[in-house]
Amino acid sequence: MSSDKRRPLPTITDVAREAGTSTATVDRVLNRRAAVRENTMRRVLDAALALGYLHTGQVEALREPEPIKLALLLPRGTNPYLALVNEKARAFIEHHHRDARVKSFFIDGFDPDELSRSIRRHGKTADGVIFMAIDHPSVRMATNELVAAGKKVITFISDISTSRRHAYVGIDNFAAGRTAALLLGRFTGHVPGRVALIAASRIYRAHLEREVGFLGLIEERFPHIAVSATREGHDDRKQNYEHTRRLLEKHPDITGIYNVGGSSDGIGRALQESGRAQEVTFIGHGLTHDTRAMLADGTMDAVITQNPDRLFEAAVAAAMGKEGTQVPMELYVAENLPQE
């Protein structure tokens, strides 16, 4: 009879004994259940490798930092730019970041209570939350609670005032509004006329800052231009269409439209149906498939945008505690459109 006996497979108890720790600590290390001191983790992994409980590849993977888990909250609706941001964010994480994972969630972007609930809910399971902020007390409170719990909170596209959020990632929206006013004022010439503003909602600080910047520069540089009261279209193409159609019917002297928010396709449709698409200067935000088409056919004259790839790259960097890259404002007309 052979004297060889098969060596028993090592157990978690053997690893704990070899490492001089409890089995509960070994379980935490091997399953990443909770933070463990680096020295303890090293002893456990060295023991697991020496005993053959884990192979080299498994140990190397456990030595690497666990990917940060991020929740991306975006307003639901018909805004093509936000849909593009979601698409680009998921592609960026998949192809560029082994050390970060993201799940995106669409919520009612104009309800501060729902946003606050979403920040709290997803903040429980995520390491950080990235969201387009509504400047509202309940959102500030939810933000501060999450920061106090040790989570990263990053606002992007639109910021929030007097909160403890870690960083804002996006363009200077006040400067964007002034840029739109300068373009619109120069494009329409020195003929007296009327311009109209269409926003999503002033509860977004980004839209309020754009509007304030726009109105300020129009008053400073183009006093001959009258500005109609701002309509809120909630980034909905149908609402934007109806607002624009009524504005054109009521004010035959309209020479320009500035869309402070998104869903410019609704405005473009109303301009085209009115037969005035080539005579009314139209400036908006967000370079997407629909705004590209309207720039190309002359319905739109200029688009102010922020590159969604760079936007999300900077947001992830900020969530990981790194220096986020500045997101510059980009300006496109028909003659300088980049490749898709």
Side-chain angles (χ1 to χ4, degrees):
M1 184 175 70
S2 171
S3 60
D4 291 342
K5 293 184 178 180
R6 185 177 296 276
R7 184 178 178 182
L9 294 174
T11 67
I12 195 170
T13 303
D14 297 326
V15 175
R17 185 183 304 113
E18 179 76 13
T21 66
S22 66
T23 56
T25 298
V26 174
D27 179 73
R28 287 199 298 272
V29 171
L30 300 184
N31 294 289
R32 298 184 185 266
R33 296 193 194 282
V36 177
R37 286 184 298 179
E38 185 176 347
N39 183 53
T40 302
M41 183 177 73
R42 184 171 58 251
R43 293 205 321 270
V44 169
L45 293 179
D46 287 347
L49 183 61
L51 293 171
Y53 187 82
L54 297 177
H55 59 67
T56 303
Q58 291 172 312
V59 170
E60 289 178 352
L62 286 169
R63 289 192 196 280
E64 293 181 357
E66 187 174 8
I68 186 172
K69 297 186 289 293
L70 301 174
L72 172 64
L73 309 182
L74 290 170
R76 73 170 67 94
T78 62
N79 187 335
Y81 181 74
L82 294 181
L84 180 63
V85 167
N86 177 55
E87 175 188 323
K88 294 290 187 179
R90 297 175 77 87
F92 176 82
I93 289 294
E94 181 179 346
H95 295 108
H96 294 86
H97 259 286
R98 292 177 56 193
D99 47 0
R101 293 175 183 165
V102 65
K103 288 185 178 180
S104 52
F105 305 91
F106 282 87
I107 62 174
D108 183 347
F110 300 96
D111 184 341
D113 292 329
E114 181 174 346
L115 177 56
S116 301
R117 287 193 297 269
S118 296
I119 291 170
R120 291 187 175 98
R121 181 170 65 253
H122 297 297
K124 289 179 180 178
T125 54
D127 301 307
V129 178
I130 301 170
F131 65 97
M132 186 173 165
I134 295 174
D135 206 354
H136 188 276
S138 65
V139 179
R140 293 187 207 111
M141 186 176 296
T143 296
N144 293 342
E145 288 174 9
L146 218 58
V147 173
K151 304 300 180 78
K152 293 288 187 179
V153 180
I154 311 299
T155 60
F156 80 145
I157 301 176
S158 188
D159 200 10
I160 187 171
S161 61
T162 61
S163 78
R164 296 173 59 193
R165 59 101 176 107
H166 292 89
Y168 161 69
V169 175
I171 62 174
D172 181 334
N173 287 293
F174 181 75
R178 289 180 66 85
T179 300
L182 179 62
L183 291 172
L184 195 147
R186 298 288 287 183
F187 285 179
T188 57
H190 296 284
V191 178
R194 179 181 299 275
V195 299
L197 277 74
I198 295 178
S201 173
R202 293 183 182 89
I203 61 173
Y204 283 119
R205 184 174 170 183
H207 292 187
L208 180 60
E209 289 174 345
R210 291 173 189 175
E211 181 179 346
V212 170
F214 181 91
L215 295 174
L217 191 131
I218 288 290
E219 184 177 348
E220 294 166 19
R221 297 281 301 273
F222 307 104
H224 61 282
I225 294 178
V227 181
S228 292
T230 304
R231 270 65 172 178
E232 294 190 355
H234 300 97
D235 277 349
D236 180 85
R237 59 170 57 97
K238 184 176 180 181
Q239 290 188 46
N240 283 354
Y241 167 78
E242 293 295 339
H243 283 314
T244 306
R245 186 178 60 79
R246 287 194 290 268
L247 280 166
L248 292 171
E249 291 174 354
K250 183 177 179 180
H251 302 291
D253 60 339
I254 282 183
T255 58
I257 294 176
Y258 173 38
N259 183 20
V260 180
S263 295
S264 287
D265 49 345
I267 299 170
R269 176 187 161 203
L271 284 169
Q272 291 163 357
E273 289 181 1
S274 72
R276 299 177 63 188
Q278 303 302 314
E279 65 184 64
V280 175
T281 299
F282 177 21
I283 296 170
H285 284 265
L287 187 64
T288 56
H289 180 74
D290 60 305
T291 54
R292 281 174 174 274
M294 288 189 288
L295 284 172
D297 68 19
T299 301
M300 291 191 80
D301 295 274
V303 168
I304 299 167
T305 194
Q306 46 200 315
N307 185 295
D309 287 317
R310 298 182 67 175
L311 179 74
F312 197 71
E313 180 182 3
V316 170
M320 296 175 68
K322 301 177 183 178
E323 184 77 22
T325 57
Q326 177 110 21
V327 181
M329 183 193 315
E330 298 178 4
L331 177 64
Y332 292 104
V333 295
E335 300 302 327
N336 72 333
L337 283 172
Q339 289 187 335
E340 289 193 75

